Amino acid sequence: MEPHALVERFRKKAEAVSAVVSEVETMAEAVAYTVDLCVHKEACQILVSGCDESLSASGKDLCGLKDWGKIIAAPGLDAATREILVARAKENGISVIEDGLRQHLGGVDIGFTVCQHGIAETGTLVLDAVSEEGRLATMISEIHVAVLPKNRIVPTAENIADTLRRYLARHPNYLAFITGASRTADIERVLALGVHGPLELHILLTEEA
Amino acid sequence: MHTATTLRDYNQQVRAALDNAFLREAMDKFATAYPAGRANAFREYDAAALIQKVVEVKDAGLTRLDELFVQFKAEAEKRGVHVHLAQDAAEANALIAQIGKAAGCRRVVKSKSMTAEETLLNHTLEAEGFEITETDLGEWIIQLRHEGPSHMVMPAIHLSRYQVADLFSQVTRQTQPTDIQRLVKVARRELRPKYAAADLGISGANFAIAETGTIGIVTNEGNARLVTTLPRVHIVLTGLDKLCASLEDALHILRVLPKNATGQAITSYVTWISGANPCAAATSGTKEMHVIFLDNGRRALAKDPLFRQVLRCVRCGACANVCPVYRMVGGHAMGHIYIGAIGLILTYFFHGKDKAKTLAQNCINCQACKHICAAGIDLPLLIQEIRARINEEEGRPLTSSLLSMAMKNRKFFHGLLRAAKFAQKPVASGGYLRHLPQIFTKDHGFRALPAIAEVPFRDRFPALRPHIDQPTMRIALFSGCVQDFVYPEHLEAALKVLAHAKVAVDFPMEQTCCGLPLTTMGEKAAAQDVARQNMAALTGEYDAIVTLCASCASHLAHGYAQLLGSTPEVRAFAAKVMPFSVFVSRLGLAPDHFRQTMERATLHAPCHLCRGMGVTEEPRQLLQTAGYEYAAAELEQVCCGFGGTYSAKFPGISENILKLKLADVARTHAETLVTECPGCVLQLRGGAVQHGHGFEVRHMAEVLAAHLK
């Protein structure tokens, strides 16, 4: 499949399961999108619901804001992207954390991650999640923003079976296939998003690898 | 949970389910929505080919189960995981309790695991002082209600939002809304602190990949990710049957499982865990991880040439989704722990004969499950085989043994049927029984029952046999008992159509019951006996063996090979068997042979015709050729609820399936409902008469003969 068609197939399949898919040129644009999303979202609902007792001040606030307010969890970023994110978040009064996520099990506003692969067949993100912080960022956030370089999209999982097997063979490994937001239909088979994990999944397709 | 040990008790449980209005509505909605969702998910794929590959992948794994276990254990241990093998449920539960205690754990969060349901793990852990929280929304709901799952994928499908709101109000001690979106958020809020406080996470696994010692978990909610991440100890409990050789094997199954289960291309999350991962809550910084493989009869099953296929099951739940019985009564009345068709089988192996005895009777043998199964399991066949095994172990019920004795002797059996004609005299009039003979209870009054014919077809045939000059073909007509003794007019109509096309017809008098009722009752030896009698009776220079009964056709064509082995003789016999409509459509009768009245007619496709014989198009074409306007009914291929002896065992379910069918037929505004099996005619005509529906129910042979010029 030619690259454009592959990207379009990925987009179509991801949108079919309620992912919000956008294209950005650079990581800086991805950061801007994320901070903007955070500014405009309501503060973390689970906090509002009164489950804030597990919060503590011991987590590291990269912005030095300390009052927590809104939080973007962004573990494992490269130094350059982290720098842009922290600066941009601080301008908007948003805290950025990259570790100590267990201190925030009540929830964070946004989890920001970069994914390793995309599978067009199902609109699936493949995320190396061996780091506990990276895993938690995609589990306890209300919105998961995932950056996916377009050139990492493949038609099917089988196309990268050898690569995936290398992940699985690591010692240890935690690999996540993520397709859309957390969902359930356990009550009267009515679809509801965000039962345990993110309520929304935003995928940012970048030109950069 | 089904626990009844007598059919009478079981029917009481069934009655309660049938009377549960919400359950019926929920099941109806689901039964309507599921096929469309599944078809959509498979739209870009060749579903049959994908399923066939699942069969190959699973079968290849099952032949080397022990080897895969050894490989998984070595690979996982290399990565810091403790791997255990538990012989049975008690051992698995004890092991989990022991690991939990040794690690000083008390608070447990669990993600959904049918294997843990199988072992009733929560009961053991609670008795040992652990505090357990199910985190899958449906599982949490049924845990709070102290119930078992009523579906393998949607455990709380039997409950309404109002029941859930009441339950959540009790749990939170605050009035909760009945809005589903908000109820889901209540669960999100209530369960999050449970994850935070838990020191032990227990999950199941959908895959155990031997080559890398990896477990794969397929979920939508994301609870399994939190369960496997937050607590410092993680125990996986999984059946040995989840072992597969490679990542590719798992990926292939993954391509089929969610599509077949819920019509999803893939679930929201698929989690692949190899080895003990970093965990900040553990003092060592690394999670303590255990994988417990449960045998509980699986290794023995893997060596059983017939039942091995049971272990291919990927737990998608589709066999329940398409089951007309499940649609009527839901999972609690159609399963002990595992539900649906696969549940009827697994209960026998995992939970024993006593739990399975009456449950295994609750299959109408419509074959819908076999044709939807993600792993190509011949579920109806295995259910019949379970009945046979239970008969062997328990001693057969008196009725079953008597029937078996009677049927083995054709003359005696036919003598009984002739005698029945006189016995019904006081109660028969106008072709129906005026009131039911005493052997039936009042539950059977939902349809009018036909009277035994004055003169059976076999006695009429010598006079009716047409003389055909230069016949185009020569066939043997196989009547089956019901047409011979109850509906000889079907066969007479068929003779007219066949004579019109210059087909010479023979009716070998030594033919007897096809034997399907015997197979259904688990009377295997007698079934083999009558199969041999029929094969001997129908040997001759025939171009085809034609039958007007779809059940007979399917049993002659496929059942005999199961009973007698697929010998060249059986295969040659089976190859000649042809349902009436298939045979007639090959005779080249054009529309100008029929009066084109364009009366509106609809079809009921007998289970043994559309699924048993794979015939769907021929009857539709024939109707149109014969001058009828064919109006398709939405539930054309759904069972009519008869199922032979089934309707006598479970009259309440039979009645309700029948009502569903009749209402569907009425929606087509057809004047005539056409079908091709005397059992279906008996059920549908009896129901239409009893409920005063305005359409006629006729056999295909009758409607063709009626329009012949």
Side-chain angles (χ1 to χ4, degrees):
Chain A
M1 206 182 281
E2 58 100 15
H4 178 70
L6 201 55
V7 170
E8 281 317 298
R9 184 167 169 78
F10 176 89
R11 175 202 288 274
K12 192 173 145 230
K13 294 292 177 181
E15 286 176 345
V17 287
S18 77
V20 180
V21 184
S22 309
E23 294 193 27
V24 294
E25 289 292 317
T26 60
M27 280 306 281
E29 271 186 43
V31 164
Y33 178 103
T34 306
V35 172
D36 194 46
L37 188 65
C38 196
V39 167
H40 291 99
K41 87 182 272 292
E42 283 181 59
C44 188
Q45 293 296 300
I46 210 158
L47 301 181
V48 174
S49 312
C51 280
D52 51 346
E53 54 280 353
S54 60
L55 291 182
S56 78
S58 59
K60 194 160 73 178
D61 179 0
L62 297 176
C63 301
L65 296 176
K66 282 297 176 204
D67 64 350
W68 298 115
K70 287 181 181 175
I71 302 171
I72 295 175
L77 291 184
D78 63 88
T81 308
R82 184 175 59 202
E83 198 175 314
I84 310 170
L85 174 63
V86 167
R88 185 100 187 198
K90 191 170 182 177
E91 286 168 23
N92 289 283
I94 297 167
S95 290
V96 176
I97 57 173
E98 64 178 4
D99 52 24
L101 263 72
R102 275 182 184 265
Q103 306 305 320
H104 298 274
L105 295 183
V108 297
D109 289 280
I110 289 184
F112 182 71
T113 63
V114 179
C115 294
Q116 279 65 45
H117 302 278
I119 300 169
E121 182 183 13
T122 47
T124 298
L125 300 168
V126 179
L127 182 69
D128 170 17
V130 76
S131 132
E132 185 178 290
E133 306 293 355
R135 247 180 285 161
L136 285 173
T138 68
M139 295 178 192
I140 63 168
S141 53
E142 294 205 330
I143 301 177
H144 175 197
V145 180
V147 176
L148 175 65
K150 285 184 189 172
N151 63 5
R152 306 306 295 270
I153 298 176
V154 293
T156 69
E158 280 83 349
N159 294 105
I160 46 167
D162 288 331
T163 310
L164 296 177
R165 197 184 344 269
R166 276 196 293 278
Y167 279 113
L168 299 191
R170 288 192 314 199
H171 178 187
N173 186 63
Y174 197 111
L175 192 72
F177 283 10
I178 299 175
T179 313
S182 159
R183 62 177 53 211
T184 187
D186 272 352
I187 306 176
E188 293 190 13
R189 295 180 42 258
V190 172
L191 177 67
L193 296 179
V195 55
H196 295 291
L199 289 82
E200 293 175 25
L201 173 66
H202 292 241
I203 301 172
L204 304 180
L205 300 174
T206 61
E207 299 294 340
E208 292 174 0
Chain B
M1 181 188 279
H2 161 89
T3 51
T5 52
T6 67
L7 211 50
R8 192 192 167 86
D9 288 349
Y10 190 13
N11 266 306
Q12 279 183 3
Q13 188 189 4
V14 160
R15 176 49 64 192
L18 288 169
D19 290 343
N20 179 338
F22 174 78
L23 178 69
R24 296 292 300 278
E25 190 192 326
M27 293 291 109
D28 274 347
K29 275 194 207 158
F30 179 47
T32 311
Y34 170 74
R38 179 186 186 269
N40 187 45
F42 276 114
R43 205 179 46 213
E44 297 170 16
Y45 300 86
D46 177 349
L50 288 182
I51 289 170
Q52 183 49 37
K53 200 174 159 196
V54 172
V55 172
E56 287 159 20
V57 162
K58 290 297 287 188
D59 281 353
L62 290 171
T63 54
R64 39 192 291 251
L65 213 50
D66 290 347
E67 199 185 315
L68 291 179
F69 171 72
V70 170
Q71 190 187 3
F72 182 97
K73 186 167 159 58
E75 290 297 326
E77 283 175 349
K78 239 191 260 179
R79 295 170 177 82
V81 178
H82 307 273
V83 180
H84 316 259
L85 178 61
Q87 295 307 319
D88 56 24
E91 194 179 320
N93 293 349
L95 194 54
I96 292 170
Q98 186 193 321
I99 293 167
K101 281 184 180 169
C105 302
R106 206 177 77 75
R107 295 192 180 89
V108 182
V109 279
K110 253 181 89 204
S111 64
K112 190 169 169 335
S113 158
M114 280 309 298
T115 313
E117 295 284 351
E118 175 185 332
T119 67
L120 295 171
L121 174 64
N122 289 2
H123 296 225
T124 302
L125 293 186
E126 274 163 13
E128 296 278 352
F130 292 91
E131 180 196 299
I132 302 134
T133 307
E134 293 285 353
T135 59
D136 172 84
L137 176 57
E139 286 283 330
W140 188 50
I141 292 169
I142 61 168
Q143 183 194 22
L144 293 171
R145 286 175 58 93
H146 308 289
E147 284 181 331
S150 69
H151 189 278
M152 289 205 286
V153 178
M154 290 158 291
I157 192 170
H158 58 292
L159 298 172
S160 72
R161 68 189 75 188
Y162 305 100
Q163 289 166 298
V164 175
D166 284 349
L167 183 71
F168 284 7
S169 300
Q170 285 167 30
V171 170
T172 58
R173 295 194 184 84
Q174 286 173 40
T175 306
Q176 295 297 348
T178 55
D179 172 61
I180 290 173
Q181 302 300 329
R182 291 180 63 190
L183 285 169
V184 169
K185 297 300 179 292
V186 171
R188 178 184 176 93
R189 194 179 63 210
E190 291 297 320
L191 287 170
R192 191 64 69 82
K194 302 285 186 189
Y195 293 111
D199 35 33
L200 172 58
I202 298 177
S203 75
N206 295 88
F207 312 105
I209 303 175
E211 63 177 353
T212 46
T214 302
I215 64 149
I217 310 176
V218 177
T219 72
N220 274 315
E221 297 185 1
N223 58 320
R225 311 173 77 216
L226 288 162
V227 163
T228 59
T229 295
L230 289 173
R232 58 192 165 82
V233 181
H234 174 202
I235 303 176
V236 182
L237 175 63
T238 186
L240 276 170
D241 49 311
K242 294 298 190 298
L243 279 161
C244 55
S246 65
L247 170 68
E248 280 87 344
D249 286 357
L251 288 175
H252 183 72
I253 295 166
L254 182 62
R255 181 164 284 119
V256 178
L257 169 59
K259 293 183 181 68
N260 220 49
T262 52
Q264 289 178 276
I266 192 170
T267 51
S268 301
Y269 303 105
V270 182
T271 302
W272 308 98
I273 303 173
S274 316
N277 274 274
C279 177
T283 40
S284 64
T286 301
K287 190 180 288 279
E288 177 180 335
M289 183 173 171
H290 299 260
V291 178
I292 299 173
F293 284 96
L294 177 66
D295 183 341
N296 206 20
R298 287 169 172 83
R299 286 166 82 194
L301 209 46
K303 294 184 178 71
D304 185 314
L306 179 63
F307 279 100
R308 167 189 291 173
Q309 55 183 307
V310 168
L311 297 178
R312 289 185 206 144
C313 175
V314 297
R315 308 283 188 265
C316 70
C319 55
N321 304 355
V322 297
C323 173
V325 175
Y326 179 82
R327 177 172 183 169
M328 295 301 135
V329 300
H332 285 157
M334 205 203 173
H336 175 62
I337 287 171
Y338 289 105
I339 60 101
I342 192 72
L344 268 50
I345 300 165
L346 292 180
T347 300
Y348 173 79
F349 288 105
F350 294 160
H351 298 106
K353 184 184 67 190
D354 289 344
K355 304 278 194 297
K357 199 168 62 181
T358 58
L359 190 60
Q361 307 299 317
N362 203 359
C363 163
I364 199 165
N365 192 22
C366 76
Q367 317 262 321
C369 52
K370 174 181 168 178
H371 288 259
I372 207 87
C373 177
I377 305 171
D378 193 342
L379 297 147
L381 174 78
L382 298 183
I383 292 168
Q384 288 181 354
E385 192 63 28
I386 298 258
R387 292 176 190 166
R389 286 198 183 191
I390 293 176
N391 275 355
E392 289 306 312
E393 293 166 27
E394 285 261 290
R396 296 128 71 199
L398 186 61
T399 47
S400 179
S401 316
L402 285 176
L403 180 73
S404 177
M405 266 168 52
M407 284 209 181
K408 277 201 278 192
N409 183 335
R410 182 190 68 77
K411 286 188 175 156
F412 177 67
F413 174 56
H414 285 162
L416 280 181
L417 291 173
R418 287 170 199 275
K421 179 183 75 190
F422 298 105
Q424 76 188 5
K425 276 265 148 84
V427 296
S429 75
Y432 292 100
L433 301 183
R434 275 182 284 115
H435 53 83
L436 291 171
Q438 294 207 323
I439 50 164
F440 293 110
T441 63
K442 65 175 168 46
D443 285 351
H444 293 81
F446 61 89
R447 61 172 178 228
L449 282 175
I452 304 264
E454 270 298 312
V455 184
F457 179 77
R458 57 177 55 240
D459 294 356
R460 301 182 189 194
F461 183 72
L464 291 170
R465 181 181 202 154
H467 177 76
I468 312 281
D469 278 330
Q470 294 177 323
T472 53
M473 263 187 275
R474 205 168 108 81
I475 64 154
L477 187 61
F478 182 83
S479 70
C481 320
V482 182
Q483 260 151 347
D484 193 351
F485 286 88
V486 180
Y487 296 126
E489 64 271 24
H490 296 175
L491 296 157
E492 287 188 21
L495 288 184
K496 278 187 203 148
V497 176
L498 294 169
H500 185 90
K502 291 192 169 301
V503 176
V505 179
D506 199 3
F507 185 82
M509 289 294 167
E510 293 303 309
Q511 62 177 283
T512 184
C513 169
C514 70
L516 178 62
L518 291 165
T519 306
T520 313
M521 293 174 85
E523 290 291 332
K524 203 169 174 180
Q528 288 167 331
D529 212 72
V530 297
R532 287 194 199 96
Q533 287 179 41
N534 281 321
M535 282 181 56
L538 299 165
T539 312
E541 291 299 306
Y542 300 121
D543 295 305
I545 298 164
V546 175
T547 174
L548 277 66
C549 171
S551 300
C552 295
S554 162
H555 191 57
L556 297 175
H558 306 304
Y560 282 14
Q562 300 286 355
L563 284 166
L564 304 174
S566 184
T567 62
E569 193 196 354
V570 172
R571 283 201 300 273
F573 172 82
K576 282 191 183 178
V577 175
M578 232 182 262
F580 178 72
S581 59
V582 174
F583 182 74
V584 174
S585 25
R586 293 183 188 178
L587 297 175
L589 291 173
D592 60 3
H593 289 260
F594 298 95
R595 290 185 296 116
Q596 301 290 316
T597 65
M598 302 316 277
E599 290 158 63
R600 201 172 168 85
T602 188
L603 281 170
H604 161 64
C607 301
H608 291 109
L609 189 68
C610 66
R611 286 176 289 275
M613 298 299 287
V615 175
T616 52
E617 274 312 309
E618 286 90 341
R620 296 170 185 162
Q621 288 302 329
L622 268 185
L623 267 191
Q624 293 173 75
T625 305
Y628 293 88
E629 180 203 350
Y630 162 61
E634 195 187 332
L635 305 183
E636 180 176 307
Q637 298 189 2
V638 170
C639 179
C640 69
F642 180 59
T645 50
Y646 181 88
S647 70
K649 284 183 204 156
F650 297 100
I653 297 174
S654 178
E655 173 184 9
N656 280 281
I657 298 176
L658 175 60
K659 278 186 186 161
L660 177 81
K661 278 297 292 193
L662 293 173
D664 181 59
V665 170
R667 279 193 292 274
T668 66
H669 302 291
E671 296 163 64
T672 311
L673 168 61
V674 181
T675 189
E676 205 179 325
C677 187
C680 304
V681 171
L682 185 154
Q683 173 89 344
L684 293 163
R685 194 183 277 174
V689 166
Q690 197 80 325
H691 297 283
H693 283 285
F695 51 81
E696 272 195 285
V697 181
R698 308 184 77 186
H699 191 280
M700 178 61 87
E702 295 179 291
V703 297
L704 294 185
H707 270 197
L708 271 181
K709 278 184 186 168

